[in-house]
Amino acid sequence: MKWKLIDPVYGDMIRVKSGSIWHYGIYVSDEQVVQFGLAPRQRARVSDAQVVVCQSTMDEFCDGSFVEVAVPEKRDKKRTPPAQTVQNALDRLGEGGYNIVHNNCEHFAYQCYLGQKYCSQTDDIRKQFAFLSEVKVYYAAVPSTPFALDLPTALRNEEIASCQNADVKRDKYFVWKLLLRAIGSNYGKDATFVKQPTGKWTCNLCSFSLSHGDGVVAVSVSKADTGVDVERVALPSNVKVMERVFSQKEVTDYHQLQTDEQKALYFTQKWTQKESTFKMLNQSSFLASKPSEYTQHVVSKAIDVNGTSYVVSVACNPLQRVSFCKIDL
Amino acid sequence: MNRSEIESRLKDLLAVALGNKPQLQGVTSDSHLVNDLGLNSVGVLYLVIAIEEYFDIRFDDVGFGDFTTVGDVVDYVESKLQ
């Protein structure tokens, strides 16, 4: 649809800028423009329930601003004939059901003019929020079955082989297996991995983060920055360390909790939130910080794996939807 | 997602939709959408769409003018997610 600064004629769809958004109507004559509510800046703040299809003069509609007239392009749906357009508008005088996102003045005008509801303004805004994509968190119990270092990335096999601790070796192997599953099901099978000089692994298809320990592994995958941490729910082994790492408010909140179960859950949530944040920020090692020192987005979930309670937290930037998925390895 | 998580995400979305404006500091569930946060019709449009995209819900059975405080929006999102 093109919009031109020309004089409207009977049955045209017209629009006028009202603040930073457009207000739409159907032109009948200079004395009659049909619209779904007056332009936002012309009406006092009223509830949506009070907004109805109404008519005004052209002067009232444009309120001193330039009026643009819709001119359909070849690719557009064929417009409704002018007389029918006007009739469509007049038939709806007094109709309510206004909703700024789903049933507004632009929807109304397009429905009269083209026969279908459409709103370019909400579509454009929705596209701006397309970055609200998803960070996916997968977690799994570490299998006790034997395993061979058969990962497709040779350097990762070498890295695992060099571990002295058998549990860590097992964790590192299975967290990578989980990572391959996560990336494969979300971003395809063509993943290649590079170990950066900092020791951090990166992938050509997405960002990812790994966490493992106490019999569970977790990964987060996303197109944006992400960090994940999973810990078994437990009380702090050293309250003084917690008091140094947590803010005064967090420490106060912790001590005000009534039961050890509540304290353990609170402590583990806060701890994993901090650690996931710092992993996302590419810190080479966990450097706990007061919450006021970070402003990233963190989501936590209490999970149960083989009868043991854990908390998994994922940090992401920018803000994204988060989904958690438990799988069997 | 529990109520406190919804409220936390809503605060994030306010910052995304409206920019990190000073009035967004110290937002609570009692914060008034218009008087405290200065939401106008454009701000509402951005915020509603951001909430819809994030929580995968639709504000199709209510008008945003029906909400007075941040807590009212949290209540609505919570009811939609149940």
Side-chain angles (χ1 to χ4, degrees), chain A residues 18-21 40 43 45-49 98-102 104 121-123 125-126 128-132 269 295-301 319-322, chain B residues 1-2 5 8-9 12-13 16-17 33-34 39-42 44-67:
Chain A
S18 180
S20 57
I21 57 178
R43 63 176 189 245
R45 182 173 174 78
V46 294
S47 73
D48 290 352
Y98 183 86
N99 180 300
I100 194 169
V101 175
H102 298 289
N104 60 33
Q121 297 180 104
T122 52
D123 276 8
I125 295 171
R126 214 170 279 284
Q128 291 181 37
F129 292 108
F131 71 85
L132 292 174
Q269 279 181 341
T295 57
Q296 311 304 323
H297 310 289
V298 190
V299 175
S300 298
K301 182 180 175 67
L319 178 65
Q320 297 173 83
R321 280 193 294 270
V322 178
Chain B
M1 190 175 287
N2 64 34
E5 289 170 331
S8 176
R9 296 286 79 73
D12 291 335
L13 291 170
V16 169
L33 294 168
V34 176
L39 266 185
N40 57 17
S41 56
V42 179
V44 166
L45 195 60
Y46 275 80
L47 179 60
V48 170
I49 292 174
I51 292 171
E52 288 190 343
E53 289 296 305
Y54 185 81
F55 291 105
D56 198 20
I57 62 173
R58 289 289 174 267
F59 278 71
D60 50 7
D61 55 356
V62 70
F64 206 81
D66 299 334
F67 302 118

Side-chain angles (χ1 to χ4, degrees), chain A residues 211-214 216 218 228-234 264-265 267-273 275-276 279 286 301-303 308-313:
Chain A
S211 182
H212 53 78
D214 286 327
V216 67
V228 71
D229 187 46
V230 63
E231 304 279 350
R232 186 168 55 83
V233 174
L265 184 60
F267 169 76
T268 311
Q269 279 181 341
K270 290 294 175 189
W271 187 271
T272 55
Q273 287 171 3
E275 184 154 353
S276 61
K279 288 169 83 168
F286 172 48
K301 182 180 175 67
I303 59 174
T308 303
S309 297
Y310 299 82
V311 171
V312 58
S313 290

Side-chain angles (χ1 to χ4, degrees), chain B residues 2-37:
Chain B
N2 64 34
R3 186 179 171 78
S4 101
E5 289 170 331
I6 293 170
E7 186 173 326
S8 176
R9 296 286 79 73
L10 188 58
K11 289 174 185 173
D12 291 335
L13 291 170
L14 276 164
V16 169
L18 308 181
N20 284 304
K21 294 183 176 174
Q23 63 263 38
L24 294 182
Q25 300 294 322
V27 171
T28 70
S29 62
D30 293 329
S31 296
H32 195 286
L33 294 168
V34 176
N35 298 343
D36 297 331
L37 305 185

Side-chain angles (χ1 to χ4, degrees), chain A residues 26 28-29 31-38 52-58 60-61 86 89-90 92-94 108:
Chain A
I26 299 297
V28 183
S29 69
E31 300 306 315
Q32 192 178 25
V33 176
V34 185
Q35 61 217 279
F36 200 171
L38 295 176
V52 295
V53 176
C54 61
Q55 50 192 341
S56 69
T57 65
M58 186 65 166
E60 289 169 329
F61 178 82
V86 171
L90 294 174
R92 294 177 61 180
L93 280 171
F108 165 78

Side-chain angles (χ1 to χ4, degrees), chain A residues 36-37 52 72 90 104 123 130 140 147 168 177 187-188 206 208 211 218 227 260 265 267 277 280 327:
Chain A
F36 200 171
V52 295
L90 294 174
N104 60 33
D123 276 8
F147 66 96
V168 173
K177 294 289 276 188
Y187 303 105
C206 63
F208 69 88
S211 182
D260 279 353
L265 184 60
F267 169 76
T277 298
M280 183 195 69
I327 66 172

